[in-house]
Amino acid sequence: TYRLSVILKERIRRDLLQEALEFVLSRFPGFRQRLRKGFFWYYLEENDYPVPRVHEEDTYPCRSTRTNDNNNYLFRVTYYGRRISLEVFHVLADGTGGFEFLKELTFAYLRLSHDALMEAHKGSFSADTSINRDDSFIRNYRKASRSAYAVKRAFLIKGEKLPYKGFGVVNAHLRVSEIKKLAHSLDVSINELCVALFIYATYKSYRHGVSEKRPIRVAVPVNLRPYFDSNTTKNFFVMVSAEFIPTKDEYSFEEIVSITKRSLRKQITKENLESIFSYNVSGQQILLARTVPLVFKNAGLRAIYSRSALANTTTVTNMGQINVPDDYAAYIESFQCFLSFSKGQGLKLGIASFNDVLTLSFSTEFRDTTL
C-alpha cells in the first residue's frame, strides 16, 4: 500500500469530500475494481458496491485494507485538518495512476467548495487527466529476456522499532530551486541527488555494517510512460537499483554521487527497461505456468518476493513535479507521497514536488531517526 496526499490551504469538509469521491469514482473505471480469487489466478472485476465512505484519519497510515469493511474497494480516502489522503493497494495503479485519481478528487472537492471554480469548470475532468486502462506491458512486450534483478543480500537497516507496530512519518520541505542548483553543480538530476543522499546518509550512519558482501542497494521505480508513449493509469513501471559497494575505508559525498549517477544511468535506458519488463511479462506467457494452481503460484511468488526484497536496503520513489491548473493551484499548498515499509525495508523515502516546494517523506518503523 502507498499513500498520496494533498495539503490544501483550507480545512476539509467531510460531506463535500464524500460527494467529490462519488463524482470521481463514477467516471474512473480503474478504481471501481475488486479483487477476486480463482483456481489459477487472482483477477480484478468491476465493483458495483456503494462508494466507500471517507473518514477522518484516526490510526497509522497504510494499514492493511479489510475489503469487507470497505465495500470491497482496494483504496481508501481519509482526511485530517487540511490534508486529503489516498491510500492504494498497488495492484490497482502505480503512483502516476494514483495521482491522476487524487488530483481529480481534489479538483472535484474544490469545485464543490468554491462557486467560482464550479462555474469555470462545469464539473468536468482536467484536459490532462487520463482514464486510459491500456495494458502497456503487454502492448510493448517483445521477447523474453534474462532477469536483471539483484538477488544477493544487501545491507539492511535494523534497530529498535516503534511500539505497537507504529508507523513513523518525517516530512522535510525544501526549495526546488535550491535543490536544482545543488544538483546542477554536481551534474546530476534531482532524483539522482536524492538517491545519492540516501546512500551517503546510510553509509555515514551504519558504516560498520556496510561491506562488499552487504552493499547498500536502493530500489528506484522508473515510470515507463515517457519511454513507451503511454498514458495508462494501470501499473507501468519497473525497478532498477542504485548500488554502492565499498572497496576502501572512506568515501566523500561527491564520490558517492558519482557512483550513484553511473549506477542509475547505465540501467535507465529504453533498451534495458524493455528487457526488465519483458522478463516480468514472460512468466505469464508460459502456458505451463498458467495451468499451475494458485496455491502453488502463491508459494513460488512468496519465495521470489522474499529473495528480491532482501536484495535492497530501501526504496526511493520520486513522483517528480505535480502539475495542476493555475486556478486550482491557488488553493493547494503541497503534495506528499510515501510507501509502506516491507520485508527487510523498514525505512523508505517518497518524493513529490509542487511549485517550488519539494517534500521528502520518510516512512519508518524505527525509533532512531539518525539517518
Side-chain angles (χ1 to χ4, degrees):
T1 304
Y2 61 85
R3 171 182 281 202
L4 309 174
S5 298
V6 57
I7 291 78
L8 303 182
K9 296 178 181 178
E10 58 194 53
R11 292 186 66 83
I12 309 301
R13 286 180 50 185
R14 178 177 178 172
D15 56 335
L16 297 186
L17 184 57
Q18 184 68 49
E19 187 176 346
L21 178 59
E22 291 171 0
F23 169 81
V24 173
L25 189 59
S26 68
R27 292 160 174 79
F28 232 102
F31 279 70
R32 294 200 311 272
Q33 304 279 328
R34 60 175 176 167
L35 188 67
R36 304 304 299 271
K37 183 178 181 180
F39 185 75
F40 293 105
W41 49 68
Y42 294 100
Y43 61 95
L44 294 171
E45 69 175 19
E46 185 174 354
N47 189 353
D48 55 6
Y49 280 78
V51 175
R53 309 303 297 174
V54 306
H55 62 270
E56 187 171 22
E57 190 169 352
D58 60 0
T59 186
Y60 293 122
C62 295
R63 299 292 87 179
S64 297
T65 301
R66 294 180 60 185
T67 54
N68 290 341
D69 295 340
N70 197 44
N71 290 348
N72 286 326
Y73 287 94
L74 303 175
F75 71 92
R76 66 167 70 92
V77 175
T78 62
Y79 68 96
Y80 190 84
R82 297 181 292 116
R83 181 178 66 230
I84 300 172
S85 296
L86 171 70
E87 295 186 352
V88 183
F89 178 32
H90 219 313
V91 73
L92 275 188
D94 56 20
T96 301
F99 261 122
E100 293 282 275
F101 188 85
L102 176 61
K103 287 196 294 184
E104 284 300 340
L105 177 63
T106 304
F107 299 161
Y109 175 83
L110 289 171
R111 287 195 299 270
L112 292 168
S113 303
H114 302 279
D115 292 339
L117 288 175
M118 181 65 81
E119 182 64 26
H121 294 277
K122 304 294 184 184
S124 60
F125 272 18
S126 168
D128 295 329
T129 296
S130 170
I131 57 173
N132 182 294
R133 293 293 290 168
D134 171 54
D135 189 335
S136 295
F137 283 123
I138 296 295
R139 179 166 60 82
N140 291 283
Y141 169 71
R142 294 295 176 262
K143 61 180 179 179
S145 304
R146 291 184 178 181
S147 172
Y149 292 108
V151 293
K152 293 183 179 180
R153 288 282 293 267
F155 167 73
L156 301 180
I157 299 167
K158 296 180 180 179
E160 184 182 357
K161 294 184 179 181
L162 294 166
Y164 311 113
K165 297 184 178 180
F167 193 116
V169 180
V170 177
N171 291 313
H173 306 284
L174 304 151
R175 293 286 183 193
V176 174
S177 53
E178 294 298 316
I179 293 295
K180 278 184 176 178
K181 287 179 185 177
L182 178 56
H184 181 73
S185 71
L186 295 165
D187 191 31
V188 293
S189 68
I190 289 179
N191 192 53
E192 290 165 340
L193 174 61
C194 289
V195 174
L197 279 164
F198 200 110
I199 291 174
Y200 181 70
T202 306
Y203 164 68
K204 296 292 283 187
S205 301
Y206 302 98
R207 184 177 306 186
H208 298 298
V210 180
S211 67
E212 288 188 68
K213 290 186 177 180
R214 290 288 184 267
I216 299 171
R217 202 176 288 121
V218 176
V220 180
V222 179
N223 177 17
L224 296 173
R225 293 167 182 82
Y227 297 91
F228 297 95
D229 190 28
S230 171
N231 65 347
T232 184
T233 56
K234 282 189 173 183
N235 282 297
F236 195 41
F237 74 101
V238 296
M239 304 290 279
V240 300
S241 293
E243 186 174 60
F244 169 68
I245 304 174
T247 57
K248 60 179 185 176
D249 292 336
E250 188 71 30
Y251 284 85
S252 68
F253 172 61
E254 289 76 14
E255 285 179 298
I256 288 180
V257 170
S258 179
I259 291 168
T260 303
K261 173 183 171 180
R262 289 197 305 271
S263 180
L264 288 174
R265 291 194 181 183
K266 72 179 181 182
Q267 296 176 74
I268 304 178
T269 66
K270 184 175 181 178
E271 293 74 19
N272 188 57
L273 298 174
E274 184 179 87
S275 175
I276 294 172
F277 77 73
S278 291
Y279 170 77
N280 295 345
V281 171
S282 64
Q284 73 185 70
Q285 304 295 315
I286 301 170
L287 184 60
L288 180 62
R290 291 183 175 188
T291 61
V292 174
L294 183 61
V295 63
F296 297 114
K297 284 192 178 90
N298 282 343
L301 289 171
R302 192 173 291 115
I304 293 169
Y305 166 75
S306 294
R307 187 172 66 169
S308 62
L310 299 179
N312 288 290
T313 306
T314 188
T315 301
V316 173
T317 183
N318 183 2
M319 295 308 306
Q321 185 74 19
I322 309 301
N323 297 308
V324 304
D326 290 344
D327 47 354
Y328 290 120
Y331 298 91
I332 297 172
E333 184 175 293
S334 64
F335 285 93
Q336 300 172 359
C337 71
F338 57 78
L339 300 163
S340 55
F341 25 83
S342 55
K343 185 171 185 176
Q345 297 184 37
L347 174 62
K348 297 185 180 182
L349 172 60
I351 308 166
S353 303
F354 177 70
N355 289 339
D356 196 35
V357 179
L358 183 145
T359 302
L360 302 173
S361 298
F362 297 88
S363 51
T364 180
E365 63 179 349
F366 302 119
R367 280 181 177 272
D368 186 9
T369 57
T370 301
L371 190 151

